[in-house]
C-alpha cells in the first residue's frame, strides 16, 4: 500500500499573537517574532516530507477558522505554507475589522476582567479539527492508503475556560477513541489542566516552557516536527504531575472535592436534590454519592477510562 | 531430510493431466509431494542428467541418468519425469534454481555436506546455494562485510535460523535496495510502483482500406473499435454524421466506405494544391466525393452550432494544453497565403458562413477540414487519453439505448471540440486544462483530490454540495470566513501589526536567537540538559568555558568505538531476528513453530543482553546508550509479548505437515 504522510493539525490561539497574550508570559517577545517562528515551523514541517499534510486553525475566545490546509504532494499551491497561512490570517483580520465592529455579537474584543486574556475556544477548535481529521482519514482509506497517526498540536496562549469543561473533555475522549494524539504547548502564565489531561490521555506531549515563547521554534522543531512513531524513540521530558481537577457541572468551578452523580457521573460542587444532567432524584440524605477528598478528581479519572473504553 | 534446505516450491502436476502437487527444489534433491494423497517423489540432484523445457508450455522433462541395475535387484525406475507447472514463469523460476544448485554441486565436487548449520565462527559452508547465492559468493560477502559476518554468527551460528533463511533475507534486502538490478521478473517494478496503463496512440488515425484504384471504389475497410472511438472523439462532424445516418439510413459498413472515400477526396485535393495543378488537371486528379455530402452537411451543422455559441470554441481552445496547441488556423484565416494546410476549404463556404453568422460576426470556430485544426484536435484527444473515448462510447451507448439514433437536433455533442467543449463548460473561467488530467497517470503526479470545505455551522450544505466537488481543498476561500460565527477578534489587536511586520517570503534567519533555541531545547530534552550540566561542571566539578557557544557536543563522540560497534551489532541482530520471527507468525505449522521457538530463545538472550547494557550505562553516555537501545528493546518486547499470546492461544503444537 502506498505511504500516507503524517497529518498535523495545529490549533493556534490568536492570543499568542497579541500584546496581551505574549506579555502575559512575562517575556518581552514581540508578536511578530512569535508569528515568524510559527511560519518557520510550518515551512519546516512541510519541507520534511512531501507527503506531510498540515492544517492550521486559528481561533480566539469566540471563533475558530481553518486558515490553511495543505494536502502534501500532488496538491496544488506552493510548497511553503507560510505565504498562504500569512495571507489567510490577514484575511481573517480584515474580515473582523470590516464585517464586525468591536463589541458586535456581544463579544468583547479586548481582554476583560483585569487585563486577563479571554480563554481560547478550545472545545470548538478541537471538534472541528477532529472532524477534519476524520474526513481526511476516510479519504485516505478510500484511496487504499495506509492509515497514518494524526496529531493535534494546540498552541495556547490563554488560560483554560472552565465553562468549556464538558465539551473539551468530550472532545478529548473522542480524540482518544480515534487514536488522535493531542500535543500542547502552553505559553500562558499558568498550566492548562485541559491540555495536560488531553496529552496524558492521548499519549501526546505537553510543554509549558518557563522562558515563554522566545525559543518556541526550538521546542517545536525538537519535538513536534516528527511523526509520533519517530517521536516515541526520542528523548523528551514530561512533567509527572497532571492536574486532573474537574469543573463542576453546575457552576463550572474548578473543584478538588465534589459530589458525583452515581448514575451519570456528573460532578457538582454542592449537594442538590436531583442531577441536572440525567434527572436522577437523590435521597433526602443529601447528594447521590458523597465523595471524600479528591472525589471529583477521581471521578474525572474514572470518566477518562470509561471514555477510552 | 531434516537437513535439506528448501529453496523454492511451486505448484506442479505430475505430467499433463496428472495428479496435482508441489514441486520443491532443495539443496540435495528435487521433491514432488501430492496435494492430496499419493506417493511422494524424490529425485536426487545427482541423478538428474538433463532438463528440457517445452517451448511456450509450462512443462519440463527431467531426464535421469542411467542407474546401474543390479542383477536380481528391483527393476530400474523411470528414465524421466514430466511436470506441468501453472505458468511458464513458475517453471522457469523453479528450473533456474535447480540449474544453479546442480551447477554448484558439480563445481563443489562433493565438498561440504549439504545443509547443517556450521559452528560459530566457522567458514560458511552449508548448502551449495542459499538464497540464490553460491557458497563462494556467500563467503565473499561475509569477508567483505563485518556487520553481516556478526549477524550471520549470531543467527546461523546459534542455530536459530537456517542458512537458506538467512541468505534469503539478505537477498530480499538487496533486492529492495536495488530494484532495478534485482529480480523484477514479476513485473510492475515492485508493489509501490504505479501500474502502467496502455494509453492512446499518438498517430493520427489513417483508416486502412482496400481500394480499387481503377474505379476508385472502396472495397474493404479495417477499423478497430478503438480507432472508431478515436475518430469520433477527434472529428465531431463524423460522429454527428454517424448518429444521423447509421443504422437507419445506411449500414455501418457503407458509412465507413463513404468516410474513407471522403478522406481520399480531401487528401487528393491537398496533393493537387501542393503540386500546383491547374483547375482542369486538379479536377481530374481529385477523387470523386459522391458520398461525402453527409460529412459536409454534418460539418456545416457543427460549425453553425459553434458559431451560435460565441466564445465556446475559444474556450475549448483555451482548454487545450498550450504546449500542443498549434494555434495555426486562427491567425491564418485568410486567402492567398498559408492555405496549404486547409486545401479543402471552400472559399464559397467561408463566404456563406460569414453571411450566416449573426451580425456578420465570424465565429471563432475551426474549419473541420483544416489540417492544423485536425492536428490540434488529435493532440487534445491523445492528451485526454482513454477518457475521451469513453465519453464518446457512452454517448453512442446512450443513443443506442434510446432506440433509434436521434437526428441529433440538440444532442449531447456540443460541436466544435467534443470533449474539449464539455471541459470548457465545466470550467467557465476558461482555465487551461492541467496536464495530468490527460489520463496518462504514470507520466504525471496524481491529481489533487477535490475536497469540499466542511462547515460545522451548517453540515447540510456540506453534504448537499459534496457531490459537486468544485472547490479545491487548498482554497480556503471556500471556508467562508466570518459566516455564522461572530468574528470578534478580541485579542487580535496585535495580530494586524504582527502580520504587517512579518513577510512570509523573507522570514528572519535564524528565526529565533540561538541562545533561546538552545535554552528551549535544554528545558525539554533531558539528555541535552544532563550533557550541558556535565560539560558545565567539567572533570573536577569546575566550570569549563565553552569553546563554541550554542553547539552541544555529540554524545556519540565520547563513546568508545568498541561500545558503538557493540551497540550497532546488537541493534542489527535484534532487527534481523525480529524480522525472521515475524515471518513465523502465526505459528500454524510445526516448522514455523520450531523456528519461532528457536528465535524466541535468541530474542530472550538479546533481551538480557540489552538489559545488561542498559544497567551498565552510567552518566551522560549512559543516558545516550539507553536512548539508542530504546528501539531494539521495544522490538524485543513486542515480539516476546506476541509469542506469549500465541502460546496462550495455542498451548499445544498444531499438528500438520512441517
Amino acid at each position: 500500500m502506498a505511504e500516507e504522510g503524517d497529518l498535523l493539525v495545529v490549533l493556534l490561539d490568536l492570543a499568542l499573537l497579541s500584546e496581551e497574550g505574549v506579555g502575559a508570559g512575562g517575556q518581552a517577545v514581540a508578536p511578530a517574532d512569535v508569528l515568524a517562528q510559527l511560519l518557520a515551523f510550518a515551512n519546516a514541517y512541510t519541507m520534511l516530507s512531501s507527503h506531510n499534510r498540515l492544517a492550521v486553525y486559528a481561533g480566539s475566545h469566540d471563533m475558530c477558522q481553518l486558515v490553511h490546509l495543505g494536502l502534501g504532494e500532488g496538491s496544488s499551491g506552493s510548497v511553503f505554507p507560510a505565504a498562504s497561512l500569512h495571507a489567510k490570517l490577514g484575511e481573517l483580520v480584515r474580515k473582523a475589522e470590516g464585517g464586525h465592529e468591536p463589541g458586535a455579537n456581544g463579544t468583547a474584543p479586548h481582554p476583560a476582567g483585569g487585563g486577563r486574556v479571554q480563554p481560547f475556544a478550545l472545545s470548538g477548535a478541537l471538534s472541528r479539527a477532529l472532524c477534519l481529521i476524520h474526513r481526511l482519514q476516510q479519504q485516505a482509506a478510500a484511496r487504499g492508503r495506509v492509515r497514518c497517526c494524526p496529531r493535534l498540536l494546540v498552541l495556547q496562549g490563554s488560560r483554560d475556560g472552565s465553562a468549556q469543561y464538558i465539551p473539551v473533555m468530550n472532545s478529548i475522549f473522542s480524540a482518544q477513541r480515534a487514536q488522535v494524539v493531542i500535543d500542547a504547548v502552553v505559553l500562558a502564565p499558568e498550566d492548562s489542566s485541559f491540555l495536560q489531561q488531553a496529552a496524558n490521555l492521548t499519549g501526546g506531549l505537553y510543554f509549558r516552557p518557563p522562558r515563554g515563547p522566545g525559543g518556541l521554534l526550538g521546542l517545536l522543531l525538537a519535538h513536534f516536527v516528527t511523526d509520533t512513531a519517530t517521536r516515541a524513540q526520542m528523548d523528551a521530558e514530561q512533567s509527572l504531575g497532571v492536574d486532573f481537577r474537574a469543573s463542576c457541572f453546575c457552576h463550572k468551578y474548578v473543584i478538588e472535592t465534589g459530589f458525583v452523580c452515581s448514575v451519570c457521573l456528573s460532578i457538582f460542587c454542592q449537594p442538590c436534590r436531583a442531577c441536572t444532567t440525567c434527572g436522577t432524584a437523590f435521597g433526602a440524605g443529601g447528594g447521590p454519592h458523597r465523595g471524600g477528598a479528591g472525589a471529583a478528581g477521581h471521578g474525572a479519572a474514572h470518566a477518562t477510562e470509561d471514555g477510552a473504553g | 531430510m531434516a537437513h535439506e534446505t528448501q529453496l523454492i516450491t511451486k505448484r506442479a502436476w505430475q505430467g499433463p493431466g496428472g495428479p496435482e502437487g508441489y514441486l520443491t527444489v532443495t539443496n540435495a534433491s528435487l521433491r514432488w509431494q501430492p496435494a492430496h494423497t499419493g506417493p511422494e517423489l524424490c529425485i536426487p540432484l545427482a541423478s538428474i542428467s538433463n532438463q528440457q523445457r517445452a517451448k511456450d508450455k509450462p512443462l519440463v522433462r527431467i531426464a535421469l541418468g542411467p542407474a546401474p541395475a543390479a542383477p536380481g535387484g528391483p527393476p530400474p525406475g523411470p528414465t524421466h519425469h514430466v511436470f506441468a507447472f501453472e505458468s511458464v514463469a513458475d517453471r522457469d523460476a523453479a528450473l533456474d534454481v535447480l540449474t544453479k544448485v546442480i551447477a554448484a554441486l558439480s563445481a563443489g565436487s562433493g565438498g561440504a555436506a549439504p545443509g547443517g548449520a556450521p559452528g560459530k565462527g566457522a567458514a560458511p559452508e552449508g548448502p551449495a546455494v542459499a538464497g540464490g547465492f553460491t557458497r563462494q559468493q556467500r563467503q565473499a560477502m561475509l569477508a567483505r562485510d563485518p556487520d553481516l559476518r556478526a549477524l550471520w554468527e549470531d543467527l546461523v551460528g546459534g542455530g536459530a535460523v537456517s542458512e537458506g533463511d538467512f541468505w534469503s533475507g539478505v537477498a530480499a534486502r538487496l533486492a529492495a535496495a536495488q530494484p532495478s538490478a534485482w529480480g523484477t521478473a514479476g513485473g510492475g517494478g515492485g508493489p509501490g510502483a504505479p501500474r502502467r496503463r496502455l494509453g492512446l496512440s499518438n498517430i493520427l488515425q489513417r483508416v486502412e482500406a482496400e481500394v480499387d484504384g481503377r474505379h476508385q471504389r472502396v472495397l474493404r475497410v479495417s477499423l478497430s473499435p478503438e480507432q472508431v472511438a478515436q475518430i469520433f472523439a477527434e472529428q465531431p462532424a463524423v460522429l454527428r454524421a454517424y448518429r444521423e445516418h447509421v443504422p437507419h439510413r445506411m449500414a455501418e459498413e457503407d458509412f465507413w466506405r463513404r468516410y474513407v472515400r471522403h478522406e481520399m477526396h480531401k487528401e487528393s485535393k491537398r496533393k493537387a494544391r501542393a503540386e500546383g495543378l491547374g483547375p482542369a488537371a486538379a479536377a481530374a486528379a481529385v477523387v470523386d466525393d459522391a458520398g461525402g455530402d453527409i460529412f459536409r452537411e454534418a460539418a456545416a451543422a457543427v460549425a453553425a452550432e459553434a458559431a451560435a455559441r460565441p466564445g465556446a470554441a475559444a474556450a475549448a481552445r483555451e482548454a487545450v494544453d498550450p504546449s500542443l496547441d498549434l494555434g495555426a488556423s486562427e491567425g491564418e484565416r485568410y486567402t492567398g497565403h498559408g492555405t496549404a494546410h486547409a486545401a479543402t476549404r471552400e472559399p464559397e463556404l467561408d463566404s456563406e458562413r460569414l453571411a450566416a453568422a449573426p451580425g456578420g460576426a465570424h465565429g471563432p470556430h475551426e474549419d473541420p477540414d483544416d489540417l492544423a485544426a485536425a492536428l490540434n484536435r488529435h493532440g487534445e484527444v491523445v492528451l485526454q487519453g482513454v477518457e475521451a473515448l469513453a465519453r464518446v462510447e457512452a454517448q453512442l451507448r446512450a443513443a443506442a439505448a434510446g432506440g433509434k439514433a436521434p437526428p441529433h437536433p440538440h444532442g449531447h455533442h456540443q460541436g466544435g471540440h467534443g470533449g474539449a467543449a464539455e471541459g470548457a463548460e465545466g470550467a467557465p473561467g476558461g482555465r487551461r486544462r492541467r496536464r495530468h488530467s490527460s489520463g496518462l497517470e504514470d507520466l504525471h503526479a496524481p491529481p489533487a483530490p477535490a475536497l469540499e470545505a466542511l462547515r460545522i455551522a451548517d453540515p447540510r450544505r456540506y453534504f448537499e454540495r459534496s457531490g459537486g466537488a468544485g472547490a479545491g481543498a487548498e482554497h480556503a476561500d471556500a471556508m467562508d470566513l466570518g459566516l455564522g460565527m461572530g468574528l470578534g477578534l478580541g485579542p487580535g489587536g496585535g495580530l494586524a501589526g504582527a502580520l504587517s511586520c512579518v513577510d512570509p517570503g523573507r522570514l528572519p534567519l535564524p528565526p529565533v536567537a540561538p541562545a533561546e533555541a538552545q535554552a528551549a531545547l535544554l528545558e525539554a530534552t533531558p539528555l541535552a540538559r544532563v550533557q550541558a550540566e556535565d560539560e558545565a561542571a567539567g572533570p573536577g566539578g569546575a566550570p569549563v568555558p565553552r569553546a563554541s557557544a550554542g553547539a552541544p557536543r555529540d554524545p556519540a563522540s565520547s563513546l568508545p568505538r568498541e561500545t558503538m560497534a557493540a551497540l550497532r551489532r546488537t541493534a542489527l541482530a535484534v532487527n534481523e531476528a525480529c524480522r525472521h520471527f515475524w515471518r513465523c507468525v502465526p505459528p500454524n505449522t510445526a516448522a514455523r513453530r520450531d523456528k519461532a521457538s528457536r528465535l524466541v530463545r535468541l530474542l530472550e538472550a538479546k533481551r538480557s543482553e540489552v538489559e545488561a547494557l542498559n544497567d551498565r550505562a552510567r552518566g551522560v553516555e549512559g543516558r545516550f546508550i539507553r536512548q539508542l537501545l530504546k528501539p531494539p528493546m521495544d522490538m524485543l518486547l513486542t515480539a516476546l509479548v506476541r509469542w506469549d499470546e500465541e502460546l496462550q492461544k495455542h498451548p499445544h503444537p498444531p499438528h500438520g505437515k512441517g
Side-chain angles (χ1 to χ4, degrees), chain B residues 182-576:
Chain B
W182 281 74
T184 51
R195 188 172 58 87
R196 289 187 181 277
R197 201 178 67 175
L198 196 62
L200 286 186
S201 165
N202 62 351
I203 299 172
L204 196 59
Q205 288 299 333
R206 290 280 175 188
V207 180
E208 291 180 15
E210 288 178 23
V211 180
D212 177 5
R214 187 171 172 189
H215 300 99
Q216 294 186 338
R217 284 191 314 178
V218 180
L219 301 177
R220 181 188 176 84
V221 181
S222 302
L223 271 174
S224 67
E226 291 78 18
Q227 281 177 314
V228 170
Q230 193 163 351
I231 289 172
F232 284 159
E234 291 177 10
Q235 303 181 41
V238 178
L239 175 61
R240 186 187 181 99
Y242 181 87
R243 294 175 62 182
E244 284 178 351
H245 295 92
V246 178
H248 48 285
R249 289 187 189 158
M250 64 182 71
E252 183 155 7
E253 196 178 347
D254 189 25
F255 175 84
W256 288 112
R257 281 208 184 95
R258 285 183 181 223
Y259 172 75
V260 170
R261 194 175 178 84
H262 182 60
E263 289 296 305
M264 288 167 57
H265 165 74
K266 289 198 289 188
E267 186 64 30
S268 62
K269 276 183 86 171
R270 281 194 198 102
K271 267 188 190 168
R273 177 71 62 91
E275 290 169 2
L277 299 180
V286 167
V287 175
D288 181 34
D289 189 22
D293 51 345
I294 58 171
F295 300 106
R296 280 194 295 275
E297 287 168 6
V302 166
E305 277 187 8
R309 292 182 293 114
R317 214 168 20 248
E318 280 290 304
V320 181
D321 191 287
S323 58
L324 275 207
D325 187 7
L326 299 181
S329 64
E330 188 59 22
E332 299 176 359
R333 190 170 291 282
Y334 51 85
T335 56
H337 300 282
T339 55
H341 57 81
T344 56
R345 182 189 298 161
E346 304 291 349
E348 307 83 41
L349 186 59
D350 275 353
S351 56
E352 282 173 16
R353 281 181 191 152
L354 281 170
H362 191 282
H365 58 270
E366 289 174 344
D367 194 319
D369 289 344
D370 191 320
L371 192 58
L375 288 176
N376 273 345
R377 284 195 302 270
H378 170 65
E380 181 190 340
V381 168
V382 168
L383 269 191
Q384 284 174 1
V386 289
E387 282 84 357
L389 306 193
R391 213 157 31 226
V392 170
E393 285 164 359
Q395 285 182 20
L396 288 176
R397 269 200 304 275
K404 286 183 179 179
H408 184 51
H410 307 288
H412 296 294
H413 171 58
Q414 300 296 330
H417 275 285
E422 291 169 15
E425 286 175 359
R431 296 171 56 191
R432 287 197 181 273
R433 189 183 300 277
R434 293 184 61 180
R435 289 203 71 155
H436 63 236
S437 63
S438 60
L440 306 174
E441 288 92 350
D442 51 343
L443 300 183
H444 304 289
L451 293 182
E452 178 71 10
L454 174 63
R455 291 178 64 246
I456 299 299
D458 189 359
R460 282 175 307 171
R461 286 182 58 190
Y462 162 70
F463 288 111
E464 285 165 4
R465 291 190 306 169
S466 60
E474 296 283 328
H475 306 299
D477 307 340
M479 297 162 192
D480 49 15
L481 296 170
L483 290 180
M485 281 189 167
L487 250 186
L489 256 182
L495 179 57
L499 285 168
S500 62
C501 291
V502 175
D503 181 355
R506 284 184 294 181
L507 292 175
L509 190 66
V512 59
E516 288 185 340
Q518 189 190 4
L521 189 67
L522 293 182
E523 281 167 7
T525 313
L527 175 60
R529 188 167 62 242
V530 171
Q531 191 184 352
E533 289 168 1
D534 186 55
E535 284 186 7
V544 175
R546 296 281 296 274
S548 57
R553 173 174 53 90
D554 176 15
S557 64
S558 58
L559 281 182
R561 189 183 294 268
E562 297 76 27
T563 308
M564 284 300 289
L567 289 171
R568 177 181 164 75
R569 276 200 302 274
T570 302
L572 284 174
V574 168
N575 190 30
E576 188 71 9

Side-chain angles (χ1 to χ4, degrees), chain A residues 227-294:
Chain A
D227 59 14
T228 45
T230 310
R231 202 173 66 186
Q233 311 300 337
M234 293 175 69
D235 190 27
E237 180 159 271
Q238 288 293 278
S239 56
L240 297 175
V242 176
D243 183 3
F244 281 117
R245 285 183 304 167
S247 297
C248 69
F249 285 27
C250 43
H251 304 94
K252 314 299 179 193
Y253 296 149
V254 178
I255 54 174
E256 294 181 356
T257 305
F259 301 86
V260 179
C261 171
S262 54
V263 176
C264 69
L265 300 179
S266 295
I267 302 161
F268 303 98
C269 60
Q270 60 192 19
C272 50
R273 291 187 176 279
C275 175
T276 54
T277 306
C278 66
T280 301
F282 302 134
H289 171 69
R290 186 65 188 249

